[in-house]
Amino acid sequence: MEEVKLIGTWPSPFSYRVIWALKLKGIPYEYIEEDLSNKSPMLLQYNPLHKKIPVLVHGGKPICESAVILQYIEDVWPQNPLLPNDPHERAVARFWVQFAENKVPCIWRLFRTTGGEEQEKAKKESMEMLRALEEHGLRDKKFFGGDKIGIADIAFGQVAHWLEMIEDLVGVKLIEAHTFPHLHAWTKNFKQVPIIKENLPDYGEMLMYFKRARDNFLASRGPGM
Amino acid sequence: MFLSVFFFLTGKLREMLPLHINQKLRKKEMGEENKVTLYGMWASPFVRRVKIALKIKGIPYEYVEEDLRNKSQFLLQYNPVHKKVPVLVHNGNPIAESLIILEYINETWKNGPKILPEDPFERAKVRFWADFLQQQFLDSLRSATKSSGEAHEKAMKDVFEKLTVFEEGTEGFFPNGTPHFEGENLGFLDIVLCSLFGSHKVGEEALAMKIIDPERHPLIHSWVTAMNELPVVKETLPPHDKMVSFIQSLRGNSLD
Protein backbone atom coordinates (compact mmCIF):
# COMPACT_ATOMS: atom_id res chain seq x y z
CA MET A 1 0.00 0.00 0.00
CA GLU A 2 1.27 3.45 -0.81
CA GLU A 3 2.35 5.68 2.01
CA VAL A 4 -0.31 7.77 3.74
CA LYS A 5 0.52 11.02 5.55
CA LEU A 6 -1.82 13.39 7.33
CA ILE A 7 -0.77 16.98 7.86
CA GLY A 8 -2.92 18.40 10.63
CA THR A 9 -2.97 20.55 13.72
CA TRP A 10 -4.06 19.89 17.24
CA PRO A 11 -6.91 20.57 18.22
CA SER A 12 -8.56 21.27 14.86
CA PRO A 13 -11.89 19.42 14.46
CA PHE A 14 -11.17 19.15 10.72
CA SER A 15 -7.92 17.32 11.43
CA TYR A 16 -9.79 14.97 13.73
CA ARG A 17 -12.36 14.13 11.05
CA VAL A 18 -9.60 12.62 8.96
CA ILE A 19 -7.97 10.87 11.94
CA TRP A 20 -11.29 9.22 12.78
CA ALA A 21 -11.89 8.05 9.20
CA LEU A 22 -8.38 6.59 8.88
CA LYS A 23 -8.56 4.84 12.25
CA LEU A 24 -12.09 3.49 11.68
CA LYS A 25 -10.83 1.85 8.50
CA GLY A 26 -7.59 0.67 10.08
CA ILE A 27 -5.37 2.58 7.64
CA PRO A 28 -1.82 3.11 8.87
CA TYR A 29 -0.57 6.66 8.42
CA GLU A 30 2.12 9.09 9.47
CA TYR A 31 0.80 12.15 11.32
CA ILE A 32 2.60 15.44 10.85
CA GLU A 33 1.74 18.28 13.21
CA GLU A 34 1.77 21.62 11.41
CA ASP A 35 2.55 24.98 13.05
CA LEU A 36 0.10 27.33 11.37
CA SER A 37 1.95 30.41 12.59
CA ASN A 38 4.99 29.20 10.68
CA LYS A 39 3.77 27.16 7.74
CA SER A 40 6.08 24.45 6.49
CA PRO A 41 7.32 24.26 2.88
CA MET A 42 5.55 20.89 2.73
CA LEU A 43 2.15 22.44 3.49
CA LEU A 44 2.73 25.28 1.03
CA GLN A 45 3.70 22.73 -1.62
CA TYR A 46 0.75 20.39 -1.01
CA ASN A 47 -1.92 23.06 -0.48
CA PRO A 48 -0.73 26.13 -2.34
CA LEU A 49 -4.24 27.46 -2.81
CA HIS A 50 -5.60 27.58 0.73
CA LYS A 51 -2.45 26.80 2.76
CA LYS A 52 -4.71 25.06 5.27
CA ILE A 53 -4.90 21.79 7.09
CA PRO A 54 -5.86 18.98 6.96
CA VAL A 55 -4.04 17.66 3.91
CA LEU A 56 -3.94 13.95 3.19
CA VAL A 57 -0.97 12.82 1.12
CA HIS A 58 -1.36 9.39 -0.46
CA GLY A 59 1.54 8.06 -2.50
CA GLY A 60 2.84 11.62 -2.76
CA LYS A 61 -0.48 13.00 -4.07
CA PRO A 62 -2.20 15.65 -1.92
CA ILE A 63 -5.92 15.84 -1.21
CA CYS A 64 -7.25 18.98 0.51
CA GLU A 65 -10.50 19.97 2.25
CA SER A 66 -11.66 17.58 4.95
CA ALA A 67 -15.02 16.77 3.31
CA VAL A 68 -13.23 15.90 0.03
CA ILE A 69 -10.66 13.86 2.01
CA LEU A 70 -13.42 11.85 3.74
CA GLN A 71 -14.96 10.92 0.38
CA TYR A 72 -11.50 10.06 -1.00
CA ILE A 73 -10.78 7.73 1.92
CA GLU A 74 -14.16 6.06 1.37
CA ASP A 75 -13.46 5.64 -2.36
CA VAL A 76 -9.98 4.15 -1.89
CA TRP A 77 -10.56 1.97 1.21
CA PRO A 78 -14.06 0.45 1.15
CA GLN A 79 -13.69 -1.60 4.37
CA ASN A 80 -15.79 -0.44 7.35
CA PRO A 81 -17.82 1.80 5.06
CA LEU A 82 -18.66 5.33 6.13
CA LEU A 83 -21.39 5.62 3.49
CA PRO A 84 -24.39 3.29 3.14
CA ASN A 85 -24.83 1.03 0.09
CA ASP A 86 -28.17 2.36 -1.06
CA PRO A 87 -27.78 5.36 -3.45
CA HIS A 88 -30.61 7.33 -1.86
CA GLU A 89 -29.23 6.85 1.64
CA ARG A 90 -25.80 7.86 0.36
CA ALA A 91 -27.32 11.06 -1.00
CA VAL A 92 -28.91 11.74 2.39
CA ALA A 93 -25.56 11.18 4.16
CA ARG A 94 -23.83 13.53 1.71
CA PHE A 95 -26.58 16.10 2.24
CA TRP A 96 -25.75 16.21 5.93
CA VAL A 97 -22.00 16.44 5.26
CA GLN A 98 -22.77 19.43 3.00
CA PHE A 99 -24.99 20.88 5.74
CA ALA A 100 -22.10 20.51 8.20
CA GLU A 101 -19.86 22.47 5.82
CA ASN A 102 -22.37 25.26 5.21
CA LYS A 103 -24.13 25.66 8.54
CA VAL A 104 -21.96 24.45 11.41
CA PRO A 105 -19.47 27.38 11.02
CA CYS A 106 -22.07 29.53 12.82
CA ILE A 107 -20.85 28.01 16.11
CA TRP A 108 -17.44 29.50 15.39
CA ARG A 109 -19.04 32.88 14.71
CA LEU A 110 -20.64 32.51 18.14
CA PHE A 111 -17.21 31.68 19.55
CA ARG A 112 -15.95 35.07 18.35
CA THR A 113 -18.73 37.14 19.97
CA THR A 114 -18.81 38.79 23.35
CA GLY A 115 -22.40 39.91 23.57
CA GLY A 116 -25.02 42.19 22.11
CA GLU A 117 -26.72 41.85 18.76
CA GLU A 118 -23.82 39.97 17.19
CA GLN A 119 -24.02 37.25 19.81
CA GLU A 120 -27.81 37.03 19.64
CA LYS A 121 -27.63 36.58 15.88
CA ALA A 122 -24.95 33.87 16.09
CA LYS A 123 -26.86 32.13 18.88
CA LYS A 124 -30.08 32.18 16.85
CA GLU A 125 -28.32 30.75 13.76
CA SER A 126 -26.69 28.05 15.88
CA MET A 127 -30.01 27.06 17.46
CA GLU A 128 -31.66 26.84 14.02
CA MET A 129 -28.84 24.64 12.81
CA LEU A 130 -29.18 22.35 15.84
CA ARG A 131 -32.96 22.25 15.42
CA ALA A 132 -32.51 21.02 11.83
CA LEU A 133 -30.14 18.30 13.06
CA GLU A 134 -32.55 17.21 15.77
CA GLU A 135 -35.71 17.18 13.68
CA HIS A 136 -34.51 16.25 10.23
CA GLY A 137 -31.02 14.81 10.50
CA LEU A 138 -30.93 12.63 13.53
CA ARG A 139 -34.65 12.24 14.33
CA ASP A 140 -34.90 9.10 16.46
CA LYS A 141 -31.77 7.35 15.20
CA LYS A 142 -28.86 6.68 17.51
CA PHE A 143 -26.36 8.03 14.97
CA PHE A 144 -26.71 9.96 11.73
CA GLY A 145 -25.45 6.77 10.10
CA GLY A 146 -28.13 4.63 11.81
CA ASP A 147 -26.88 2.00 14.25
CA LYS A 148 -23.25 2.76 13.50
CA ILE A 149 -21.44 6.04 12.95
CA GLY A 150 -20.98 7.17 9.38
CA ILE A 151 -19.59 10.04 7.38
CA ALA A 152 -22.23 12.49 8.66
CA ASP A 153 -21.46 11.69 12.31
CA ILE A 154 -17.79 12.36 11.58
CA ALA A 155 -18.69 15.63 9.87
CA PHE A 156 -20.70 16.73 12.94
CA GLY A 157 -17.97 15.79 15.41
CA GLN A 158 -17.50 19.50 16.15
CA VAL A 159 -20.99 19.59 17.62
CA ALA A 160 -20.26 16.66 19.94
CA HIS A 161 -17.02 17.93 21.49
CA TRP A 162 -15.95 21.39 20.36
CA LEU A 163 -19.35 23.03 20.82
CA GLU A 164 -19.25 22.28 24.56
CA MET A 165 -15.98 24.20 24.74
CA ILE A 166 -17.56 27.13 22.85
CA GLU A 167 -20.55 27.09 25.21
CA ASP A 168 -18.20 27.25 28.22
CA LEU A 169 -16.09 30.09 26.86
CA VAL A 170 -18.95 32.21 25.54
CA GLY A 171 -21.26 31.47 28.50
CA VAL A 172 -24.25 30.13 26.58
CA LYS A 173 -25.89 26.73 26.68
CA LEU A 174 -27.25 25.48 23.39
CA ILE A 175 -27.69 21.72 23.60
CA GLU A 176 -29.75 20.62 26.57
CA ALA A 177 -31.47 17.30 27.15
CA HIS A 178 -34.94 18.82 27.30
CA THR A 179 -34.57 21.04 24.20
CA PHE A 180 -32.60 18.66 21.97
CA PRO A 181 -33.14 15.18 23.44
CA HIS A 182 -31.84 13.15 20.49
CA LEU A 183 -28.89 15.42 19.75
CA HIS A 184 -27.97 15.53 23.41
CA ALA A 185 -27.92 11.72 23.56
CA TRP A 186 -25.97 11.64 20.32
CA THR A 187 -23.18 13.84 21.71
CA LYS A 188 -22.71 11.25 24.46
CA ASN A 189 -23.07 8.17 22.22
CA PHE A 190 -20.69 9.53 19.59
CA LYS A 191 -17.94 10.09 22.14
CA GLN A 192 -18.44 6.57 23.54
CA VAL A 193 -17.56 4.92 20.22
CA PRO A 194 -14.13 3.39 21.02
CA ILE A 195 -12.20 4.90 18.07
CA ILE A 196 -13.69 8.33 18.80
CA LYS A 197 -13.14 8.06 22.54
CA GLU A 198 -9.48 7.19 22.03
CA ASN A 199 -9.02 10.04 19.54
CA LEU A 200 -10.37 13.23 21.06
CA PRO A 201 -8.37 16.22 22.23
CA ASP A 202 -8.26 16.45 26.02
CA TYR A 203 -11.11 18.77 27.02
CA GLY A 204 -9.15 20.82 29.58
CA GLU A 205 -6.20 21.36 27.27
CA MET A 206 -8.50 22.23 24.41
CA LEU A 207 -10.38 24.72 26.56
CA MET A 208 -7.12 26.47 27.48
CA TYR A 209 -5.96 26.55 23.87
CA PHE A 210 -9.19 28.06 22.56
CA LYS A 211 -9.48 30.50 25.46
CA ARG A 212 -6.07 31.88 24.52
CA ALA A 213 -7.04 32.02 20.86
CA ARG A 214 -10.31 33.79 21.68
CA ASP A 215 -8.62 36.30 24.00
CA ASN A 216 -6.07 37.11 21.32
CA PHE A 217 -8.75 37.53 18.70
CA LEU A 218 -10.89 39.80 20.91
CA ALA A 219 -7.85 41.88 21.91
CA SER A 220 -6.87 42.40 18.27
CA ARG A 221 -10.39 43.52 17.41
CA GLY A 222 -10.12 46.41 19.83
CA PRO A 223 -12.63 47.87 22.31
CA GLY A 224 -16.21 48.84 21.53
CA MET A 225 -16.94 45.93 19.17
CA MET B 1 -65.08 -19.28 -4.71
CA PHE B 2 -61.96 -20.73 -6.23
CA LEU B 3 -60.95 -17.26 -7.53
CA SER B 4 -61.45 -15.62 -4.16
CA VAL B 5 -59.32 -18.33 -2.51
CA PHE B 6 -56.67 -17.74 -5.19
CA PHE B 7 -56.59 -13.97 -4.55
CA PHE B 8 -56.62 -14.54 -0.81
CA LEU B 9 -53.64 -16.89 -1.12
CA THR B 10 -51.59 -14.59 -3.42
CA GLY B 11 -52.33 -11.70 -1.03
CA LYS B 12 -51.06 -13.77 1.87
CA LEU B 13 -48.03 -14.88 -0.11
CA ARG B 14 -47.33 -11.24 -0.92
CA GLU B 15 -47.34 -10.40 2.77
CA MET B 16 -44.72 -13.05 3.34
CA LEU B 17 -42.28 -11.30 0.99
CA PRO B 18 -39.47 -9.26 2.58
CA LEU B 19 -40.62 -5.73 3.35
CA HIS B 20 -38.39 -3.98 0.84
CA ILE B 21 -39.65 -6.17 -2.04
CA ASN B 22 -43.23 -5.62 -0.95
CA GLN B 23 -42.68 -1.85 -0.92
CA LYS B 24 -41.07 -2.03 -4.35
CA LEU B 25 -44.08 -3.91 -5.74
CA ARG B 26 -46.45 -1.42 -4.26
CA LYS B 27 -44.49 1.50 -5.70
CA LYS B 28 -44.50 -0.14 -9.13
CA GLU B 29 -48.25 -0.50 -8.95
CA MET B 30 -48.57 3.13 -7.94
CA GLY B 31 -46.44 4.03 -10.99
CA GLU B 32 -43.62 5.40 -8.87
CA GLU B 33 -41.05 2.77 -9.77
CA ASN B 34 -38.26 4.45 -11.70
CA LYS B 35 -40.28 7.66 -11.94
CA VAL B 36 -38.04 10.72 -11.95
CA THR B 37 -39.36 14.19 -11.14
CA LEU B 38 -37.29 17.37 -11.06
CA TYR B 39 -38.57 20.34 -9.06
CA GLY B 40 -36.93 23.47 -10.39
CA MET B 41 -37.04 27.10 -11.38
CA TRP B 42 -36.38 28.19 -14.98
CA ALA B 43 -33.56 30.66 -14.23
CA SER B 44 -31.69 28.62 -11.65
CA PRO B 45 -28.17 27.55 -12.69
CA PHE B 46 -28.32 24.83 -10.02
CA VAL B 47 -31.43 23.32 -11.60
CA ARG B 48 -29.76 23.59 -15.02
CA ARG B 49 -26.97 21.32 -13.78
CA VAL B 50 -29.45 18.56 -13.07
CA LYS B 51 -31.19 19.01 -16.43
CA ILE B 52 -27.85 18.67 -18.22
CA ALA B 53 -26.96 15.52 -16.27
CA LEU B 54 -30.35 13.91 -16.89
CA LYS B 55 -30.07 14.69 -20.62
CA ILE B 56 -26.53 13.31 -20.86
CA LYS B 57 -27.68 10.07 -19.28
CA GLY B 58 -30.86 9.96 -21.38
CA ILE B 59 -33.09 9.74 -18.31
CA PRO B 60 -36.74 10.63 -18.94
CA TYR B 61 -38.24 12.85 -16.25
CA GLU B 62 -41.14 15.06 -15.35
CA TYR B 63 -40.27 18.70 -14.72
CA VAL B 64 -42.22 20.75 -12.18
CA GLU B 65 -41.72 24.54 -12.21
CA GLU B 66 -41.80 26.02 -8.71
CA ASP B 67 -42.88 29.54 -7.89
CA LEU B 68 -40.25 30.33 -5.26
CA ARG B 69 -42.39 33.10 -3.78
CA ASN B 70 -45.16 30.55 -3.22
CA LYS B 71 -43.48 27.19 -2.69
CA SER B 72 -45.55 24.05 -3.26
CA GLN B 73 -46.33 21.63 -0.45
CA PHE B 74 -44.29 19.07 -2.39
CA LEU B 75 -41.14 21.17 -2.29
CA LEU B 76 -41.60 21.91 1.40
CA GLN B 77 -42.14 18.22 2.09
CA TYR B 78 -39.24 17.02 -0.06
CA ASN B 79 -36.72 19.62 1.10
CA PRO B 80 -37.86 20.70 4.56
CA VAL B 81 -34.37 21.79 5.65
CA HIS B 82 -33.54 24.28 2.87
CA LYS B 83 -36.86 24.58 0.98
CA LYS B 84 -34.86 25.12 -2.21
CA VAL B 85 -34.68 23.82 -5.76
CA PRO B 86 -33.45 21.64 -7.37
CA VAL B 87 -34.96 18.56 -5.77
CA LEU B 88 -34.88 15.28 -7.65
CA VAL B 89 -37.48 12.70 -6.67
CA HIS B 90 -36.76 9.13 -7.74
CA ASN B 91 -38.91 6.17 -6.69
CA GLY B 92 -40.64 8.53 -4.29
CA ASN B 93 -37.31 9.41 -2.61
CA PRO B 94 -36.20 13.05 -2.63
CA ILE B 95 -32.59 14.16 -3.17
CA ALA B 96 -31.65 17.81 -2.57
CA GLU B 97 -28.54 19.92 -3.35
CA SER B 98 -27.43 20.02 -7.01
CA LEU B 99 -23.95 18.52 -6.53
CA ILE B 100 -25.37 15.69 -4.46
CA ILE B 101 -28.00 15.06 -7.13
CA LEU B 102 -25.22 14.78 -9.74
CA GLU B 103 -23.43 12.20 -7.58
CA TYR B 104 -26.72 10.33 -7.13
CA ILE B 105 -27.38 10.28 -10.89
CA ASN B 106 -23.85 9.03 -11.48
CA GLU B 107 -24.27 6.16 -9.00
CA THR B 108 -27.80 5.16 -9.90
CA TRP B 109 -27.76 5.13 -13.71
CA LYS B 110 -24.71 3.15 -14.76
CA ASN B 111 -25.40 3.40 -18.51
CA GLY B 112 -24.14 6.31 -20.57
CA PRO B 113 -21.17 8.61 -19.87
CA LYS B 114 -19.73 8.70 -16.36
CA ILE B 115 -20.26 12.05 -14.70
CA LEU B 116 -17.50 11.53 -12.13
CA PRO B 117 -14.08 10.03 -12.91
CA GLU B 118 -13.50 6.46 -11.78
CA ASP B 119 -10.06 7.19 -10.29
CA PRO B 120 -10.42 8.35 -6.66
CA PHE B 121 -7.69 11.00 -6.95
CA GLU B 122 -9.17 12.49 -10.14
CA ARG B 123 -12.54 12.38 -8.43
CA ALA B 124 -11.15 14.26 -5.41
CA LYS B 125 -9.74 16.95 -7.74
CA VAL B 126 -13.07 17.59 -9.46
CA ARG B 127 -14.92 17.63 -6.11
CA PHE B 128 -12.35 20.09 -4.74
CA TRP B 129 -12.73 22.52 -7.66
CA ALA B 130 -16.51 22.16 -7.80
CA ASP B 131 -16.55 22.99 -4.09
CA PHE B 132 -14.27 25.99 -4.70
CA LEU B 133 -16.68 27.38 -7.31
CA GLN B 134 -19.75 26.56 -5.27
CA GLN B 135 -18.55 28.03 -1.97
CA GLN B 136 -15.78 30.55 -2.36
CA PHE B 137 -16.37 31.83 -5.85
CA LEU B 138 -20.14 32.16 -5.42
CA ASP B 139 -19.70 33.94 -2.07
CA SER B 140 -17.51 36.52 -3.85
CA LEU B 141 -19.97 36.87 -6.68
CA ARG B 142 -22.86 37.36 -4.26
CA SER B 143 -20.95 40.12 -2.46
CA ALA B 144 -20.29 41.78 -5.81
CA THR B 145 -23.92 41.71 -6.94
CA LYS B 146 -25.18 43.02 -3.60
CA SER B 147 -22.81 45.99 -3.46
CA SER B 148 -22.27 49.24 -5.30
CA GLY B 149 -19.57 51.88 -5.64
CA GLU B 150 -16.22 51.20 -4.02
CA ALA B 151 -17.39 48.06 -2.22
CA HIS B 152 -18.53 46.67 -5.55
CA GLU B 153 -15.17 47.45 -7.18
CA LYS B 154 -13.37 45.63 -4.39
CA ALA B 155 -15.73 42.67 -4.57
CA MET B 156 -15.29 42.39 -8.35
CA LYS B 157 -11.51 42.38 -7.91
CA ASP B 158 -11.96 39.42 -5.58
CA VAL B 159 -14.19 37.68 -8.15
CA PHE B 160 -11.51 38.01 -10.82
CA GLU B 161 -8.80 36.79 -8.44
CA LYS B 162 -10.84 33.70 -7.70
CA LEU B 163 -11.33 33.07 -11.41
CA THR B 164 -7.56 33.31 -11.87
CA VAL B 165 -7.02 30.80 -9.08
CA PHE B 166 -9.45 28.45 -10.79
CA GLU B 167 -7.83 29.03 -14.19
CA GLU B 168 -4.36 28.22 -12.89
CA GLY B 169 -5.51 25.33 -10.73
CA THR B 170 -7.33 23.49 -13.51
CA GLU B 171 -4.77 23.92 -16.31
CA GLY B 172 -3.55 20.39 -15.65
CA PHE B 173 -6.94 18.95 -16.67
CA PHE B 174 -6.21 19.78 -20.30
CA PRO B 175 -2.78 18.45 -21.30
CA ASN B 176 -3.45 19.44 -24.91
CA GLY B 177 -4.23 22.99 -23.89
CA THR B 178 -7.74 23.43 -25.25
CA PRO B 179 -10.85 21.87 -23.72
CA HIS B 180 -12.51 19.54 -26.16
CA PHE B 181 -15.63 17.46 -25.76
CA GLU B 182 -16.43 14.19 -27.48
CA GLY B 183 -20.13 13.89 -28.06
CA GLU B 184 -21.85 15.04 -24.93
CA ASN B 185 -19.30 13.74 -22.43
CA LEU B 186 -19.61 16.47 -19.86
CA GLY B 187 -18.32 15.65 -16.42
CA PHE B 188 -19.05 16.93 -12.93
CA LEU B 189 -16.82 19.99 -13.09
CA ASP B 190 -17.79 20.78 -16.71
CA ILE B 191 -21.45 20.80 -15.70
CA VAL B 192 -20.78 23.09 -12.71
CA LEU B 193 -18.74 25.50 -14.83
CA CYS B 194 -21.28 25.48 -17.62
CA SER B 195 -24.14 26.23 -15.24
CA LEU B 196 -22.26 29.16 -13.66
CA PHE B 197 -20.61 30.69 -16.72
CA GLY B 198 -22.36 29.20 -19.73
CA SER B 199 -24.66 32.13 -19.94
CA HIS B 200 -21.97 34.65 -18.98
CA LYS B 201 -23.01 36.92 -21.85
CA VAL B 202 -26.40 37.24 -20.18
CA GLY B 203 -24.80 38.25 -16.90
CA GLU B 204 -22.53 40.68 -18.69
CA GLU B 205 -25.42 42.34 -20.47
CA ALA B 206 -27.57 42.47 -17.35
CA LEU B 207 -24.85 43.78 -15.05
CA ALA B 208 -22.86 45.77 -17.66
CA MET B 209 -19.57 44.16 -16.70
CA LYS B 210 -17.35 41.57 -18.32
CA ILE B 211 -17.06 38.49 -16.14
CA ILE B 212 -15.39 35.96 -18.44
CA ASP B 213 -12.76 37.85 -20.41
CA PRO B 214 -10.86 35.77 -23.00
CA GLU B 215 -7.74 37.83 -22.35
CA ARG B 216 -7.84 37.58 -18.59
CA HIS B 217 -9.06 33.99 -18.35
CA PRO B 218 -8.43 32.27 -21.69
CA LEU B 219 -8.85 28.74 -20.36
CA ILE B 220 -12.21 29.35 -18.70
CA HIS B 221 -13.38 31.25 -21.77
CA SER B 222 -12.40 28.51 -24.22
CA TRP B 223 -13.77 25.83 -21.86
CA VAL B 224 -17.16 27.54 -21.65
CA THR B 225 -17.22 28.35 -25.38
CA ALA B 226 -16.54 24.70 -26.28
CA MET B 227 -19.36 23.54 -24.02
CA ASN B 228 -21.80 26.12 -25.36
CA GLU B 229 -21.55 24.45 -28.79
CA LEU B 230 -22.98 21.19 -27.50
CA PRO B 231 -26.69 20.48 -28.14
CA VAL B 232 -27.28 19.33 -24.55
CA VAL B 233 -26.03 22.71 -23.32
CA LYS B 234 -27.94 24.75 -25.90
CA GLU B 235 -31.18 22.91 -25.11
CA THR B 236 -30.96 23.75 -21.41
CA LEU B 237 -30.13 27.44 -21.85
CA PRO B 238 -32.89 29.69 -20.50
CA PRO B 239 -34.19 32.37 -22.94
CA HIS B 240 -31.67 35.23 -23.19
CA ASP B 241 -33.87 38.32 -22.81
CA LYS B 242 -35.95 36.77 -20.07
CA MET B 243 -32.72 36.02 -18.14
CA VAL B 244 -31.37 39.54 -18.64
CA SER B 245 -34.54 41.10 -17.16
CA PHE B 246 -34.55 38.58 -14.35
CA ILE B 247 -30.94 39.28 -13.31
CA GLN B 248 -31.49 43.02 -13.54
CA SER B 249 -34.51 42.78 -11.26
CA LEU B 250 -32.53 40.66 -8.75
CA ARG B 251 -29.74 43.21 -8.66
CA GLY B 252 -32.24 46.03 -8.36
CA ASN B 253 -33.89 44.32 -5.40
CA SER B 254 -30.65 43.54 -3.61
CA LEU B 255 -29.41 47.13 -3.85
CA ASP B 256 -32.61 48.60 -2.33
CSV table of all heavy atoms in Angstrom, one decimal, chain A residues 75, chain B residues 106 114-127 187-188:
chain,number,residue,atom,x,y,z
A,75,ASP,N,-13.6,6.2,-1.0
A,75,ASP,CA,-13.5,5.6,-2.4
A,75,ASP,C,-12.3,4.7,-2.5
A,75,ASP,O,-12.4,3.6,-3.1
A,75,ASP,CB,-13.2,6.8,-3.4
A,75,ASP,CG,-14.4,7.6,-3.7
A,75,ASP,OD1,-15.6,7.1,-3.5
A,75,ASP,OD2,-14.3,8.7,-4.2
B,106,ASN,N,-25.0,9.8,-11.1
B,106,ASN,CA,-23.8,9.0,-11.5
B,106,ASN,C,-23.9,7.6,-10.9
B,106,ASN,O,-23.5,6.7,-11.6
B,106,ASN,CB,-22.6,9.8,-11.0
B,106,ASN,CG,-21.3,9.1,-11.5
B,106,ASN,OD1,-21.1,9.1,-12.7
B,106,ASN,ND2,-20.5,8.7,-10.6
B,114,LYS,N,-19.9,8.6,-17.8
B,114,LYS,CA,-19.7,8.7,-16.4
B,114,LYS,C,-19.6,10.2,-16.1
B,114,LYS,O,-18.9,10.9,-16.7
B,114,LYS,CB,-18.4,8.0,-15.9
B,114,LYS,CG,-18.4,6.5,-16.2
B,114,LYS,CD,-18.6,5.8,-14.9
B,114,LYS,CE,-18.7,4.3,-15.1
B,114,LYS,NZ,-20.1,4.0,-15.6
B,115,ILE,N,-20.3,10.6,-15.0
B,115,ILE,CA,-20.3,12.1,-14.7
B,115,ILE,C,-19.1,12.3,-13.8
B,115,ILE,O,-18.4,13.4,-13.9
B,115,ILE,CB,-21.6,12.5,-14.0
B,115,ILE,CG1,-22.7,12.4,-15.1
B,115,ILE,CG2,-21.5,13.9,-13.5
B,115,ILE,CD1,-24.1,12.7,-14.5
B,116,LEU,N,-18.7,11.4,-13.0
B,116,LEU,CA,-17.5,11.5,-12.1
B,116,LEU,C,-16.4,10.6,-12.6
B,116,LEU,O,-16.7,9.5,-13.0
B,116,LEU,CB,-17.8,11.3,-10.7
B,116,LEU,CG,-18.4,12.5,-10.0
B,116,LEU,CD1,-19.7,12.2,-9.4
B,116,LEU,CD2,-17.5,13.0,-8.9
B,117,PRO,N,-15.1,11.0,-12.5
B,117,PRO,CA,-14.1,10.0,-12.9
B,117,PRO,C,-14.1,8.8,-12.0
B,117,PRO,O,-14.5,8.9,-10.9
B,117,PRO,CB,-12.8,10.8,-12.7
B,117,PRO,CG,-13.2,12.2,-12.3
B,117,PRO,CD,-14.6,12.2,-12.0
B,118,GLU,N,-13.6,7.7,-12.6
B,118,GLU,CA,-13.5,6.5,-11.8
B,118,GLU,C,-12.4,6.5,-10.8
B,118,GLU,O,-12.5,6.0,-9.7
B,118,GLU,CB,-13.2,5.3,-12.7
B,118,GLU,CG,-14.4,4.9,-13.6
B,118,GLU,CD,-15.6,4.3,-12.9
B,118,GLU,OE1,-15.5,3.1,-12.6
B,118,GLU,OE2,-16.5,5.0,-12.6
B,119,ASP,N,-11.2,7.1,-11.2
B,119,ASP,CA,-10.1,7.2,-10.3
B,119,ASP,C,-10.3,8.1,-9.1
B,119,ASP,O,-10.7,9.3,-9.3
B,119,ASP,CB,-8.9,7.7,-11.1
B,119,ASP,CG,-7.6,7.9,-10.2
B,119,ASP,OD1,-7.1,6.9,-9.8
B,119,ASP,OD2,-7.3,9.0,-9.9
B,120,PRO,N,-10.1,7.6,-7.9
B,120,PRO,CA,-10.4,8.3,-6.7
B,120,PRO,C,-9.7,9.7,-6.6
B,120,PRO,O,-10.3,10.7,-6.1
B,120,PRO,CB,-10.0,7.4,-5.5
B,120,PRO,CG,-10.1,6.1,-6.1
B,120,PRO,CD,-9.7,6.2,-7.5
B,121,PHE,N,-8.4,9.7,-7.0
B,121,PHE,CA,-7.7,11.0,-6.9
B,121,PHE,C,-8.3,12.0,-7.9
B,121,PHE,O,-8.4,13.2,-7.6
B,121,PHE,CB,-6.2,10.8,-7.2
B,121,PHE,CG,-5.4,12.0,-7.0
B,121,PHE,CD1,-5.3,12.6,-5.7
B,121,PHE,CD2,-4.7,12.6,-8.1
B,121,PHE,CE1,-4.5,13.7,-5.6
B,121,PHE,CE2,-3.9,13.7,-7.9
B,121,PHE,CZ,-3.8,14.3,-6.6
B,122,GLU,N,-8.6,11.6,-9.1
B,122,GLU,CA,-9.2,12.5,-10.1
B,122,GLU,C,-10.5,13.0,-9.6
B,122,GLU,O,-10.9,14.1,-9.8
B,122,GLU,CB,-9.3,11.8,-11.5
B,122,GLU,CG,-8.0,11.4,-12.2
B,122,GLU,CD,-7.1,12.6,-12.4
B,122,GLU,OE1,-7.6,13.6,-12.9
B,122,GLU,OE2,-5.9,12.5,-12.0
B,123,ARG,N,-11.2,12.1,-9.0
B,123,ARG,CA,-12.5,12.4,-8.4
B,123,ARG,C,-12.4,13.5,-7.3
B,123,ARG,O,-13.2,14.4,-7.3
B,123,ARG,CB,-13.1,11.1,-7.8
B,123,ARG,CG,-14.6,11.0,-7.7
B,123,ARG,CD,-14.9,9.7,-7.2
B,123,ARG,NE,-15.3,8.8,-8.3
B,123,ARG,CZ,-16.3,7.9,-8.2
B,123,ARG,NH1,-16.9,7.7,-7.1
B,123,ARG,NH2,-16.6,7.2,-9.2
B,124,ALA,N,-11.4,13.3,-6.5
B,124,ALA,CA,-11.1,14.3,-5.4
B,124,ALA,C,-10.8,15.6,-6.0
B,124,ALA,O,-11.3,16.7,-5.5
B,124,ALA,CB,-10.0,13.8,-4.5
B,125,LYS,N,-10.1,15.7,-7.1
B,125,LYS,CA,-9.7,16.9,-7.7
B,125,LYS,C,-11.0,17.6,-8.3
B,125,LYS,O,-11.2,18.8,-8.0
B,125,LYS,CB,-8.8,16.7,-8.9
B,125,LYS,CG,-7.3,16.5,-8.4
B,125,LYS,CD,-6.3,16.8,-9.5
B,125,LYS,CE,-6.3,15.7,-10.6
B,125,LYS,NZ,-5.2,15.8,-11.5
B,126,VAL,N,-11.9,16.9,-8.9
B,126,VAL,CA,-13.1,17.6,-9.5
B,126,VAL,C,-14.0,18.0,-8.3
B,126,VAL,O,-14.6,19.1,-8.4
B,126,VAL,CB,-13.8,16.8,-10.6
B,126,VAL,CG1,-13.0,16.4,-11.7
B,126,VAL,CG2,-14.6,15.6,-10.0
B,127,ARG,N,-14.1,17.2,-7.3
B,127,ARG,CA,-14.9,17.6,-6.1
B,127,ARG,C,-14.3,18.9,-5.5
B,127,ARG,O,-15.1,19.8,-5.1
B,127,ARG,CB,-15.0,16.5,-5.1
B,127,ARG,CG,-15.9,15.4,-5.4
B,127,ARG,CD,-15.9,14.3,-4.4
B,127,ARG,NE,-16.9,13.2,-4.7
B,127,ARG,CZ,-16.6,11.9,-4.4
B,127,ARG,NH1,-15.5,11.6,-3.9
B,127,ARG,NH2,-17.5,11.0,-4.7
B,187,GLY,N,-18.5,16.2,-17.7
B,187,GLY,CA,-18.3,15.6,-16.4
B,187,GLY,C,-18.8,16.6,-15.3
B,187,GLY,O,-19.3,17.7,-15.6
B,188,PHE,N,-18.6,16.2,-14.1
B,188,PHE,CA,-19.0,16.9,-12.9
B,188,PHE,C,-18.6,18.4,-13.0
B,188,PHE,O,-19.5,19.3,-12.8
B,188,PHE,CB,-18.4,16.2,-11.7
B,188,PHE,CG,-19.0,16.6,-10.4
B,188,PHE,CD1,-20.2,16.1,-10.0
B,188,PHE,CD2,-18.2,17.3,-9.5
B,188,PHE,CE1,-20.7,16.4,-8.7
B,188,PHE,CE2,-18.7,17.6,-8.2
B,188,PHE,CZ,-20.0,17.1,-7.8
